[in-house]
Amino acid sequence: MSKIVKRTLEFFELFAEHKRPLSLSEISKLLEIPVSSCHDVLQTLLELGYIYELGPRGGFYPTLKLDNLASQIAENDPIIIRAEILLRDLRDEFDESVSLAKVTDATATYLLVFEPSHALRFLVRVGDRTRALHATSAGKAILGSLDPERREKLYRTMKLEPLTDRTITSMDELRRNIEQGSERGWYLNREESVPSATTVSARFIWNRTNFVVTVAGPTFRMEPKLDQVVERLLETCRALEMPGVQRRSSPEENTRRAKRA
């Protein structure tokens, strides 16, 4: 990544992390970069209106310009426009975490995350990348999206590290698991990456790109409704793959949604 781009993004991430104005010396120290380099980036951001100075020695803080630009971008993101309502409905129906990730070769980046009302939840954030291809349902879906030759090449480089006592650590078993998932159209992680957590993922293709939708939650909540979750997950992916096809909400679901509002 370009050093300038990386450094600029780190500036904004730093303000998001610390949630307060920061001085030039603080930014330099926290990012471990020379004061002169830090000053150059700050001056450019000041000139472009992305950062303002609170006053002499008052520190710097981002303006709302970046937030306004981000809002405009998000409001017109074609995949988010198509997916947001359907994924929110999926979250509301089961009250579990629902996420959308875009696949790029052997990894994926989360674009949307909807959290449940429960305090006990499966946490991922927008911008995070999927991890542990062999132990997560999203990771398995990514493996399933690859052509056989690319997948076999990747298998030869993978280290099947155990994350729980249920993690798949045999390559033959992983191959069978991915083939099974590809045949049925969905992939399961039953306490393989996090103890007591179950996730299920399915893929859809839009604009010649693979996307993964995941429903996740504690096993004790997911297990009794797993069949229904899988059915609705596949239905949602089919709707996202075919623009204009949307499921009608049942009266019960409308009632639940009204109560949430």
Side-chain angles (χ1 to χ4, degrees):
M1 185 186 292
S2 164
K3 183 182 292 187
I4 295 175
V5 173
K6 182 174 183 291
R7 189 163 289 171
T8 302
L9 294 175
E10 286 175 344
F11 265 57
F12 290 110
E13 290 176 351
L14 191 67
F15 283 110
E17 178 184 354
H18 289 270
K19 302 178 179 65
R20 63 178 177 83
L22 298 169
S23 67
L24 174 62
S25 59
E26 284 181 305
I27 297 171
S28 173
K29 182 178 180 180
L30 290 168
L31 293 181
E32 298 180 348
I33 59 176
V35 171
S36 58
S37 300
C38 186
H39 179 268
D40 291 342
V41 177
L42 268 178
Q43 285 303 309
T44 301
L45 293 174
L46 280 166
E47 290 173 12
L48 294 175
Y50 287 97
I51 280 180
Y52 73 101
E53 188 173 13
L54 275 70
R57 299 183 180 180
F60 300 87
Y61 201 73
T63 67
L64 291 179
K65 183 175 182 178
L66 184 64
D67 180 66
N68 291 335
L69 289 174
S71 296
Q72 292 175 37
I73 292 169
E75 287 170 3
N76 295 281
D77 185 315
I79 187 61
I80 289 179
I81 289 172
R82 296 187 58 233
E84 186 170 10
I85 294 176
L86 288 173
L87 297 189
R88 195 185 297 276
D89 280 352
L90 191 60
R91 187 277 312 275
D92 289 349
E93 182 173 347
F94 297 106
D95 201 12
E96 301 294 355
S97 297
V98 175
S99 61
L100 171 72
K102 177 188 176 293
V103 178
T104 304
D105 190 30
T107 187
T109 303
Y110 288 101
L111 304 181
L112 284 172
V113 177
F114 295 102
E115 294 297 347
S117 63
H118 305 288
L120 190 58
R121 59 185 64 176
F122 188 83
L123 291 176
V124 294
R125 298 176 300 176
V126 171
D128 284 351
R129 291 196 172 189
T130 51
R131 62 185 186 88
L133 295 181
H134 67 297
T136 63
S137 61
K140 292 177 184 180
I142 293 169
L143 288 172
S145 73
L146 302 174
D147 65 74
E149 183 178 350
R150 174 72 180 96
R151 186 162 60 239
E152 280 300 322
K153 185 177 180 180
L154 185 60
Y155 281 154
R156 291 194 290 271
T157 66
M158 289 176 62
K159 296 181 179 179
L160 308 186
E161 298 178 359
L163 303 179
T164 73
D165 58 4
R166 294 197 177 189
T167 303
I168 294 174
T169 56
S170 162
M171 188 56 70
D172 287 339
E173 185 181 352
L174 179 62
R175 283 190 177 92
R176 288 193 297 269
N177 191 281
I178 300 305
E179 288 171 5
Q180 182 184 33
S182 297
E183 288 174 3
R184 67 192 180 193
W186 54 276
Y187 304 82
L188 180 65
N189 155 27
R190 187 181 272 121
E191 303 184 354
E192 297 168 44
S193 60
V194 177
S196 303
T198 292
T199 72
V200 58
S201 298
R203 294 184 290 114
F204 70 91
I205 297 174
W206 183 70
N207 199 25
R208 294 176 295 179
T209 301
N210 275 285
F211 293 85
V212 175
V213 178
T214 300
V215 181
T219 299
F220 76 89
R221 288 203 312 253
M222 287 286 289
E223 199 65 40
K225 57 189 177 187
L226 187 60
D227 289 343
Q228 296 97 313
V229 169
V230 169
E231 181 181 357
R232 284 285 293 111
L233 175 62
L234 294 176
E235 190 176 298
T236 299
C237 286
R238 285 194 295 270
L240 286 167
E241 202 162 50
M242 297 181 290
V245 179
Q246 293 193 14
R247 185 183 69 96
R248 286 187 177 180
S249 300
S250 69
E252 294 81 5
E253 290 163 353
N254 289 331
T255 300
R256 284 198 298 270
R257 219 168 281 129
K259 287 181 179 179
R260 277 178 170 271

